[in-house]
Amino acid sequence: MKNQMYSSSAANQAMPFSEQEDAKQKRRQERSMARGVKSNKQHVILLSAIWIVLMGGGYLLANHYIENSRAYIDARLQEAQAANLKQMAKIEEQVGKLSTELSTVQAGLGSIQEGLQMTGETLGGTDKTKQALTTRIDTLNKQLTELRTSLKKLEDAARAW
């Protein structure tokens, strides 16, 4: 190395001043380029490492949010299912009550019709009795149809749940 320095300084003395400055400047540029290449490689490695860390962190964060969202959705779904089961139990209870009422009305209607037939035979067809029984039968028939429609609506609602 010293030999090169002596030889380059001897060569530098033979060169004019502007050429010496140009040669020095050229050597500086070569050294800075060599350092720049090393520096660029280090920057690329550093940026790559940062990018990898950011990507991994982003993946973990996204995975965490997805798991929390799934847990929240599952909890809400279970709550909705529990509420639906309660409503189904209430609807089934109402259907049972309406069925009981319907059978009671049908039994009453049957007894009235039977009474009407017996009254018609024994009284010989008095108009007031027949008229009263007919209106009672009509009201019971209306009540029966209303109960049937209510029962059908409740059954449809139960099927929808």
Side-chain angles (χ1 to χ4, degrees):
M1 182 106 179
K2 284 185 176 182
N3 290 339
Q4 289 177 346
M5 287 173 60
Y6 290 126
S7 64
S8 66
S9 63
N12 284 346
Q13 289 175 354
M15 286 190 208
F17 180 71
S18 65
E19 286 181 15
Q20 287 178 358
E21 286 297 317
D22 288 340
K24 284 181 184 179
Q25 189 173 6
K26 193 173 185 181
R27 278 184 290 210
R28 284 184 197 141
Q29 285 178 350
E30 288 174 359
R31 284 186 205 137
S32 67
M33 285 179 61
R35 286 184 197 139
V37 170
K38 289 180 185 176
S39 177
N40 284 343
K41 286 182 182 178
Q42 289 173 347
H43 287 290
V44 168
I45 291 171
L46 180 64
L47 289 176
S48 297
I50 290 172
W51 183 81
I52 290 170
V53 168
L54 287 175
M55 291 301 290
Y59 173 78
L60 292 175
L61 183 64
N63 195 22
H64 175 72
Y65 282 133
I66 289 170
E67 287 176 10
N68 285 347
S69 297
R70 283 183 183 160
Y72 177 78
I73 289 170
D74 288 343
R76 296 297 162 250
L77 184 61
Q78 288 176 357
E79 288 175 7
Q81 287 174 345
N84 286 345
L85 288 175
K86 287 179 184 177
Q87 287 180 348
M88 284 297 296
K90 287 179 182 178
I91 288 173
E92 287 175 359
E93 182 181 325
Q94 289 176 350
V95 167
K97 287 179 182 178
L98 284 176
S99 295
T100 305
E101 286 182 34
L102 184 63
S103 63
T104 304
V105 169
Q106 283 179 339
L109 185 61
S111 67
I112 289 175
Q113 284 179 343
E114 191 177 302
L116 182 61
Q117 287 176 354
M118 289 174 74
T119 305
E121 291 173 1
T122 56
L123 293 178
T126 58
D127 287 335
K128 289 181 183 178
T129 309
K130 283 184 179 179
Q131 187 67 25
L133 287 174
T134 304
T135 56
R136 178 71 177 148
I137 288 173
D138 288 341
T139 57
L140 286 174
N141 277 334
K142 287 179 184 177
Q143 189 177 7
L144 180 64
T145 55
E146 289 174 3
L147 286 172
R148 283 184 181 159
T149 56
S150 296
L151 180 63
K152 184 168 177 74
K153 287 179 183 178
L154 284 173
E155 287 175 347
D156 290 342
R159 285 187 198 123
W161 288 99

